[in-house]
Amino acid sequence: MTTAFQLAALDMAGTTVDEGGLVYDVLESTVADAAGEPVSHDLLLQWKGTSKWEAIQGLLRGLGQDPTTAQVDKIFDGFGERLVTAYRETPPQPFPGVPEMFVTLRSRGVKVALQTGYSTEIAAAILDGLGWTVGPDADSTVDALVTSDLVAASRPAPYLVFHCMEATGIQDVRRVLVAGDTPNDLGAGTNAGAGFVVGVATGSFSHDRLATEPHTHLLPSTADLPSLL
């Protein structure tokens, strides 16, 4: 069976997983507490969709500070603890239709990989809470998970996408679909040369804002991805 794309490399928070924007609320408050001053909305927007370690470093620099790696590590550890607590109190949920979308794509022979700015530990905790599993067998929810701590640089660099290809054995980037809810997600897909770069309006940015970034498609939700097969 021939499909338009062989791999769907999908962002988590705001794209497949609805966590109500908690990750950015916690990120903003953690950095503000560390810096001793508030983080502006516009500055925070620049770092949505990226590695949270890189985001902390970038936000602090945006506030005029020059943090050491050790300082960023310490703040990142505190961020992780706060986020796990927040998710325990308000567990993330899949966006409507997303689990069914996974089943449909995989039944058509499409590999499905989650790629995220989360660390492995946080991503694994979210998957456990959702009851999602990772593996090549038919009973698994998705085929692969690639987290920001496994790559040299997070979005908009293309490495998360390339690692998804490696993890699923897909060689032709033109047959790869990348979907996300932020400009940095679209930038990563574009920089990777993906044949499908899909923006969804379930997260932090509207379709009007995403339309200003390079893309091939805009959809209401990743639940609608089977329409592109």
Side-chain angles (χ1 to χ4, degrees):
M1 181 183 298
T2 301
T3 58
F5 51 92
Q6 297 173 315
L7 166 65
L10 311 177
D11 174 51
M12 288 182 63
T15 301
T16 53
V17 178
D18 182 4
E19 46 83 77
L22 274 176
V23 62
Y24 295 113
D25 292 342
V26 174
L27 180 64
E28 186 277 332
S29 63
T30 301
V31 173
D33 289 347
E37 61 179 299
V39 176
S40 73
H41 176 70
D42 288 344
L43 179 59
L44 185 62
L45 284 180
Q46 295 175 30
W47 291 96
K48 288 191 173 184
T50 66
S51 152
K52 303 308 175 278
W53 193 99
E54 292 177 24
I56 290 169
Q57 182 185 61
L59 290 170
L60 290 171
R61 288 176 174 172
L63 294 172
Q65 302 195 13
D66 186 21
T68 65
T69 297
Q71 289 171 327
V72 176
D73 284 341
K74 182 177 180 180
I75 296 168
F76 178 77
D77 288 343
F79 159 76
E81 293 171 1
R82 290 188 184 191
L83 187 62
V84 168
T85 298
Y87 283 163
R88 189 177 298 120
E89 296 172 351
T90 309
Q93 299 294 324
F95 281 109
V98 164
E100 293 80 4
M101 175 269 292
F102 291 155
V103 172
T104 298
L105 293 188
R106 298 183 83 223
S107 71
R108 294 285 299 275
V110 176
K111 304 292 186 182
V112 177
L114 297 175
Q115 41 103 359
T116 177
Y118 290 126
S119 65
T120 299
E121 182 180 9
I122 292 174
I126 292 172
L127 294 187
D128 286 345
L130 293 169
W132 290 1
T133 56
V134 179
D137 55 283
D139 292 336
S140 296
T141 310
V142 297
D143 296 277
L145 169 69
V146 179
T147 56
S148 62
D149 49 356
L150 301 178
V151 297
S154 187
R155 309 174 187 123
Y159 307 128
L160 284 169
V161 178
F162 293 153
H163 273 61
C164 287
M165 295 176 66
E166 290 177 342
T168 57
I170 301 301
Q171 299 182 13
D172 186 351
V173 74
R174 295 169 299 179
R175 301 289 304 282
V176 173
L177 179 149
V178 176
D181 67 299
T182 72
N184 283 317
D185 289 307
L186 300 184
T190 300
N191 288 335
F196 297 75
V197 179
V198 182
V200 295
T202 47
S204 301
F205 294 85
S206 67
H207 269 174
D208 287 345
R209 174 63 183 88
L210 294 175
T212 67
E213 303 292 331
H215 65 278
T216 62
H217 300 80
L218 297 175
L219 294 175
S221 167
T222 49
D224 300 306
L225 289 179
S227 68
L228 302 180
L229 286 172

